[in-house]
Amino acid sequence: MKECDVAIIGAGPAGLTAALYCGRAKLQAVCVEKSVNGGQVASTEEVENYPGFMAISGPSLAEKMAKQAEKFGVGQQRATVQGITPDGRYWLVRTTSEGIKAKAVIIATGAEPRLLGCPGESDLRGRGVSYCAVCDGAFYEDADNVVVVGGGDSAVEEAVFLTKFARCVTLIHRRDSLRAAKILQDRLFGNQRVKVVWNSVIGSINGRDMVESVTVRNIRTGSVDTLPCEGVFVYVGMTPQTGFAGGLVAMDDNGYIITDETMATNMPGIFAAGDNRVKGLRQIVTAAADGAVAAFFAARYIEEHFG
Ligand code: NAP
């Protein structure tokens, strides 16, 4: 069992910023991450709304954040967190590797892509169904048609990105207006390679070995069409990665952790930061801000409770 002041769960922008602030506060912190540093940022092609960078690739930004935290002495552990249990004044973080005994915990696990849940989606995952255009877009060089599902920032941004490869990108959205930021919508509507299918949902994703088509239902008229395509990129929102903390900290009905403005949860010494908590704007900059606030108040909590 490793002992430290603060266990940080997740190495996305929230976790890495918390790590940076813990390091600079001279707290002994360990950041546990199950996958690569950066979280969703690591699979973002280009970031152009993080202050100080006109444009930077997602993986570069993630690497810079990780290096900066490392510079201030924060340890890293590659493992999946399985649960958190109390141990007197301490918290025990159980992981698939060495457990951690900490005075405070910052949960910065972010969110993962929500599934469509239609027939064919899971069978054809990795065989034409994808949740990451940056990872898989290049497979669709010169494809005749690639479908993107959703109407938020992710769907619109990634649809435009996919036009670098595919001859045509069809965005299918369930309403007649997009949720995405206006600047992203302008780029989408200005791109000759993009077609938008409004008021429509995917009934099924079809194909024997690889995706061959999608069945599209217009929810206004009820008409059903089959649209040939080589790939389907699903961007219908995110689900918070908070299952391991179920029953421990208070959450809303969708599994987002409830915090106060100091990022404190209802459990003393447990804080949450980033896309996994209830908040109004989920961006890299707000995740980073949450991480800084959580680390500051975790330090104060430790000072008050452990001296
Ligand atoms: P989102 O904003 O929640 O949008 C999800 C989209 O999917 C919505 O258009 C929604 O339709 C649609 N949808 C949801 N369930 C569906 C279903 N079952 N079938 C069909 N469509 C469905 O999710 P996101 O785009 O992944 O973004 C997540 C967060 O990251 C947001 O806060 C976003 O602002 C942020 N983000 C920011 C940037 C950036 O700043 N550049 C880039 C990416 C993401 P309705 O509109 O009808 O609800």
Side-chain angles (χ1 to χ4, degrees):
M1 179 79 57
K2 192 174 180 63
E3 285 197 29
C4 67
D5 293 318
V6 186
I8 300 164
I9 308 173
L16 291 174
T17 308
L20 169 65
Y21 275 70
C22 284
R24 287 176 57 79
K26 301 277 181 198
L27 293 170
Q28 293 228 305
V30 177
C31 189
V32 189
E33 168 58 55
K34 68 176 180 184
S35 175
V36 295
N37 288 334
Q40 292 169 59
V41 175
S43 53
T44 300
E45 197 219 7
E46 193 168 80
V47 175
E48 57 175 27
N49 56 1
Y50 192 73
F53 296 94
M54 291 304 284
I56 182 167
S57 82
S60 306
L61 182 60
E63 196 190 311
K64 282 181 194 297
M65 287 182 177
K67 281 218 171 104
Q68 204 172 353
E70 202 181 305
K71 179 180 159 191
F72 291 98
V74 175
Q76 272 234 344
Q77 190 184 113
R78 279 290 152 226
T80 300
V81 169
Q82 295 165 317
I84 306 171
T85 43
D87 180 17
R89 292 187 301 161
Y90 292 81
W91 289 104
L92 300 182
V93 178
R94 280 181 291 110
T95 81
T96 46
S97 174
E98 193 184 4
I100 303 168
K101 181 175 178 176
K103 295 170 185 166
V105 177
I106 298 174
I107 303 174
T109 41
E112 62 191 354
R114 188 185 292 151
L115 307 185
L116 270 177
C118 69
E121 182 182 28
S122 58
D123 292 345
L124 292 166
R125 187 172 182 154
R127 292 188 290 136
V129 175
S130 171
Y131 303 83
C132 177
V134 174
C135 318
D136 300 330
F139 294 127
Y140 299 93
E141 185 85 55
D142 292 329
D144 286 329
N145 188 31
V146 165
V147 161
V148 173
V149 192
D153 287 339
S154 301
V156 170
E157 210 165 58
E158 303 309 328
V160 172
F161 171 69
L162 286 165
T163 62
K164 288 186 179 181
F165 308 103
R167 287 183 225 271
C168 176
V169 174
T170 308
L171 183 97
I172 299 177
H173 182 41
R174 64 182 177 182
R175 291 189 293 126
D176 61 1
S177 64
L178 299 170
R179 180 186 288 272
K182 189 75 177 64
I183 188 168
L184 300 176
Q185 294 195 32
D186 289 348
R187 280 181 204 158
L188 184 90
F189 297 135
N191 193 310
Q192 305 276 313
R193 288 190 178 206
V194 177
K195 280 187 197 153
V196 182
V197 177
W198 300 106
N199 302 312
S200 297
V201 294
I202 304 283
S204 63
I205 303 174
N206 318 310
R208 201 173 304 162
D209 297 321
M210 301 293 286
V211 166
E212 290 164 21
S213 67
V214 286
T215 304
V216 184
R217 183 170 53 86
N218 184 303
I219 55 175
R220 292 238 171 119
T221 64
S223 69
V224 176
D225 282 323
T226 299
L227 181 68
C229 61
E230 284 110 303
V232 180
F233 287 82
V234 179
Y235 287 107
V236 294
M238 310 296 292
T239 305
Q241 300 196 70
T242 54
F244 67 90
L248 176 66
V249 293
M251 297 179 191
D252 73 3
D253 292 345
N254 297 315
Y256 289 95
I257 299 171
I258 298 166
T259 67
D260 64 16
E261 64 173 21
T262 71
M263 305 299 136
T265 67
N266 61 323
M267 279 292 136
I270 301 190
F271 299 79
D275 281 10
N276 60 10
R277 74 177 191 94
V278 176
K279 63 195 285 193
L281 180 65
R282 296 194 173 87
Q283 298 278 296
I284 304 170
V285 70
T286 60
D290 283 3
V293 173
F296 178 82
F297 285 99
R300 182 176 285 183
Y301 171 85
I302 290 170
E303 212 174 281
E304 285 171 3
H305 292 81
F306 293 85

